[in-house]
Amino acid sequence: VGLDRVELDFGEIRYEQSITLPIHVTNTGNVCAQFRFVPKLDENSLCKPWMTVTPTYGMLIPGESPATINVTVTIDNHTAQLLNAGREVLDDILILRLENGRDYYITVSGTFARSCFGMSLDELVLYKDPIRTIPLDAIERAVLYPSANPSNALCIPKELWRMVDAIYEKGLQTPDLFAIPGKPAEVAQIREALDTGTPFSSPATIHSYVECFTSFLTSLSVPVVPTSLFPMVEINSENIQSMSRKFLEDLPPVHYNVLVYVMSFFREVLIYRESNNLTAAKLARICCKFCSPTPPNVIMDSSMVQRRAGMHLMILHLLETSSI
């Protein structure tokens, strides 16, 4: 059996990008050969979660055209969070086993084009340079940015300011704001401009900027509003003022700054409610959804549903009052 390559270099891979490379396997012998991918010693999976292999087994007939095995690498938000935190690298080895024959070792490698999506607010505010230029390696980072510490950090991430500024420019009176999805190609271009620090070049629609804004908030490795700060008691007209104040006091400094900034932006959006069809209740729901997203594959119990409803009421209260 012959493989046309045993090294797969995926090059630079961006956030939310999938790249597929093929391997062609030929039966050069005179008898049928069966192959399958097997896990490495002491492991249960064939490969790391960010990679898929299809097919994982097959039969090779002598003299027939080569079989194609597709190896795909995908950077989803969870993988980006792990890469940004230095807890994962784009390196793996696949083992292709021939039935009653030898093993072939296929090395897989790639480079993550660092993104502000999937990072923490505390780290984002440390850097004035584009995130793409900040090394993933902690030692390299410490050498290049010795002064990156909370005492001289930005108030909010520069990327958040750029997106909100672009939405202002495009017009807050646009109908169905936050209801119409953006165009995937435009969203990718906006994200690339944020990561590289380059100007927004394409004439993207306001809906693409809004989608980038909301997906940026959702992607954060630590939500703007951690679920631990959801109210533990039922919110009513008597305690909403004091509970909202306590909630703001308990927020970490950068998270407080970001929430206040988002709230101020949403108040501006409400000035044009007649045109954009938004209400304070809708925006409070949007704020809860993106500033404290429900983790995927998590089923909320009744107490968490109640606490989330209390959080929604507090956000609505803060939106409608000028207490922040």
Side-chain angles (χ1 to χ4, degrees), residues 298-318:
V298 167
I299 298 167
M300 289 192 292
D301 58 23
S302 56
S303 71
M304 184 48 84
V305 170
Q306 196 172 355
R307 289 178 67 197
R308 188 171 273 278
M311 190 72 243
H312 175 251
L313 287 173
M314 292 198 315
I315 294 286
L316 180 57
H317 169 75
L318 292 169

Side-chain angles (χ1 to χ4, degrees), residues 100-176:
N100 305 317
R102 58 168 284 194
D103 287 350
Y104 292 87
Y105 294 89
I106 300 160
T107 60
V108 177
S109 61
T111 309
F112 176 48
R114 195 167 194 193
S115 176
C116 60
F117 287 70
M119 285 181 69
S120 71
L121 289 173
D122 286 332
E123 193 176 4
L124 281 166
V125 295
L126 292 178
Y127 305 108
K128 295 177 178 69
D129 289 349
I131 290 301
R132 183 68 50 83
T133 65
I134 312 297
L136 286 163
D137 181 77
I139 297 167
E140 239 184 288
R141 209 161 54 234
V143 171
L144 283 174
Y145 295 91
S147 60
N149 61 66
S151 62
N152 52 17
L154 303 164
C155 289
I156 61 164
K158 58 192 178 299
E159 295 83 4
L160 180 61
W161 178 84
R162 285 188 67 191
M163 284 183 282
V164 168
D165 190 54
I167 296 166
Y168 266 110
E169 249 180 63
K170 294 277 177 185
L172 301 182
Q173 68 277 14
T174 308
D176 301 319

Side-chain angles (χ1 to χ4, degrees), residues 52-117:
T52 54
V53 181
T54 52
T56 55
Y57 60 90
M59 182 179 279
L60 302 164
I61 312 291
E64 282 200 353
S65 55
T68 301
I69 297 165
N70 286 316
V71 179
T72 303
V73 170
T74 304
I75 306 291
D76 61 12
N77 193 57
H78 178 65
T79 303
Q81 287 180 0
L82 295 174
L83 290 163
N84 275 324
R87 301 203 307 273
E88 181 60 285
V89 287
L90 296 179
D91 281 310
D92 203 5
I93 294 171
L94 295 168
I95 303 173
L96 179 70
R97 178 163 294 167
L98 285 183
E99 208 67 50
N100 305 317
R102 58 168 284 194
D103 287 350
Y104 292 87
Y105 294 89
I106 300 160
T107 60
V108 177
S109 61
T111 309
F112 176 48
R114 195 167 194 193
S115 176
C116 60
F117 287 70

Side-chain angles (χ1 to χ4, degrees), residues 250-265:
D250 290 345
L251 273 173
V254 181
H255 292 243
Y256 173 86
N257 291 347
V258 168
L259 186 65
V260 170
Y261 183 72
V262 170
M263 289 287 200
S264 304
F265 167 53

